[in-house]
Amino acid sequence: MVKLEDTNTKNNRNEILEEGIKKGIFGSIKGREIDRVDYDRWMGGPRGPEKITFKDGSAVIFKCDIRHYWMADNPDTAIREAIVYQIDKVVGLGLVPKTMVIDDTVGNVRYDGSVQEWIKDARDGYQIEKFTNEERKDFERLKVFDFVIGNSDRHLGNVLFTGDDKLHAIDNNACLIIDKNEDILSFSDSVIIFFSRNVIHDMRHIVELIERFYANKDTILNLIDKYIHDNTELAKVMVESRINYLYNMLKRDKPFPRKYREWRKGLEEEVQNILRRKK
């Protein structure tokens, strides 16, 4: 798996470089020697995901910034991919492969979008029966993570595992409100199923993740405010209300609701609390 490092590290190896802490989510593949590029088609568009394999054998998956190829009001999905990686780092989840926004020209080809570490020798989550105990815990953590960021496209095809007690959550651009008309209270039924079938208060790995979300809430909201340019305020309200809801339910030391409408009611109350504070 290709390593991505800060530019202040002293090395000359072929690696994707983060362009310093101040620029945060941005990086570069300039100076890399490309061995080959494998193309795919994406949603019938003019440019699909591209697997870029470098001379040193490492690889990344490149996704174009779709606003350059479709309607101008499309969300900046490249930034969303990178922000999700940053949020993963903030809460110490460790499941999202390193992801950066790039705008490079290599040869005569422009790469404007996101790059993410390619996970070698991985199998997808449709083989969930082969998960180790630690991988199952990661999968449970991922349910909470996706709920908070509003990921509407998590399926077993974009959950990878390599049999070494580690999951990898790829393809994270359908999150943080990608449509101004999106219902910020909606979420996957799988969240209800998970929380209703388990005594969350006894699941230390879930409790710790919720507490880390709450402790780092301001940092996460600042990331969204700094980098997300589409539906920013909606995204912030959605994320903050979900973090508050999970944390407050946890501290009440009561079972989580078993019905979808009860979750929506609780989330709506948190949303209204946030909006009142902003007035």
Side-chain angles (χ1 to χ4, degrees):
M1 183 168 63
V2 60
K3 299 294 184 182
L4 290 71
E5 296 185 0
D6 295 333
T7 50
N8 59 4
T9 56
K10 296 180 180 180
N11 65 78
N12 294 313
R13 296 191 301 275
N14 285 335
E15 294 171 347
I16 301 173
L17 300 178
E18 293 184 29
E19 295 185 341
I21 295 174
K22 289 184 179 180
K23 293 188 177 181
I25 67 172
F26 301 99
S28 176
I29 59 171
K30 288 180 180 178
R32 301 295 307 273
E33 291 188 76
I34 295 177
D35 181 50
R36 69 181 186 276
V37 179
D38 298 310
Y39 301 90
D40 199 353
R41 299 291 287 177
W42 186 24
M43 297 169 57
R47 188 169 185 181
E50 301 169 18
K51 179 185 177 184
I52 304 173
T53 303
F54 300 105
K55 292 286 188 180
D56 64 359
S58 61
V60 296
I61 188 74
F62 166 77
K63 292 182 181 178
C64 69
D65 182 346
I66 65 172
R67 70 172 60 234
H68 295 170
Y69 300 94
W70 282 278
M71 295 169 55
D73 62 354
N74 272 307
D76 199 330
T77 53
I79 285 180
R80 279 167 166 75
E81 288 269 11
I83 287 295
V84 170
Y85 165 65
Q86 295 291 330
I87 295 173
D88 173 288
K89 288 203 301 181
V90 168
V91 297
L93 187 68
L95 300 185
V96 179
K98 200 160 197 176
T99 311
M100 307 297 296
V101 175
I102 66 169
D103 191 353
D104 294 332
T105 299
V106 181
N108 295 319
V109 181
R110 185 182 179 193
Y111 293 95
D112 53 333
S114 65
V115 287
Q116 185 176 83
E117 292 178 338
W118 179 265
I119 308 301
K120 292 184 177 181
D121 303 319
R123 292 169 285 179
D124 61 44
Y126 290 108
Q127 301 182 54
I128 190 172
E129 74 281 355
K130 297 181 180 178
F131 284 3
T132 65
N133 288 335
E134 287 303 312
E135 288 165 347
R136 288 184 183 279
K137 285 184 178 180
D138 277 346
F139 191 50
E140 291 167 347
R141 292 185 185 99
L142 187 57
K143 291 180 186 296
V144 176
F145 186 77
D146 282 339
F147 170 72
V148 171
I149 65 173
N151 190 337
S152 61
D153 190 36
R154 180 69 66 206
H155 52 78
L156 292 175
N158 54 33
V159 176
L160 306 180
F161 73 107
T162 51
D164 58 355
D165 287 344
K166 181 68 179 296
L167 283 192
H168 306 273
I170 64 171
D171 197 4
N172 302 294
N173 56 19
C175 64
L176 299 173
I177 309 297
I178 60 174
D179 188 310
K180 63 184 179 181
N181 297 315
E182 187 173 334
D183 180 0
I184 69 171
L185 300 179
S186 66
F187 54 92
S188 170
D189 288 343
S190 64
V191 173
I192 305 294
I193 294 171
F194 171 67
F195 276 86
S196 64
R197 289 182 177 177
N198 295 280
V199 180
I200 299 301
H201 298 75
D202 294 337
M203 301 178 73
R204 193 61 215 162
H205 58 295
I206 299 300
V207 171
E208 289 174 350
L209 180 58
I210 294 173
E211 290 176 338
R212 288 200 298 269
F213 263 119
Y214 190 78
N216 293 283
K217 180 173 57 176
D218 289 344
T219 301
I220 295 168
L221 296 178
N222 288 338
L223 277 171
I224 296 171
D225 193 56
K226 181 176 182 179
Y227 293 114
I228 296 293
H229 306 303
D230 309 281
N231 311 315
T232 310
E233 291 304 315
L234 285 175
K236 288 167 61 179
V237 170
M238 182 197 70
V239 169
E240 184 175 4
S241 62
R242 294 180 183 209
I243 291 174
N244 289 349
Y245 178 75
L246 291 175
Y247 183 79
N248 289 335
M249 287 298 300
L250 198 65
K251 293 309 173 183
R252 288 171 189 162
D253 201 25
K254 295 180 180 179
F256 281 76
R258 294 176 177 269
K259 295 181 179 180
Y260 183 82
R261 65 175 178 270
E262 292 179 19
W263 278 72
R264 286 185 64 95
K265 181 180 178 181
L267 288 171
E268 175 62 28
E269 290 175 357
E270 295 294 349
V271 168
Q272 294 305 316
N273 289 337
I274 293 168
L275 295 179
R276 279 194 291 271
R277 289 200 303 270
K278 290 179 178 293
K279 289 183 178 180

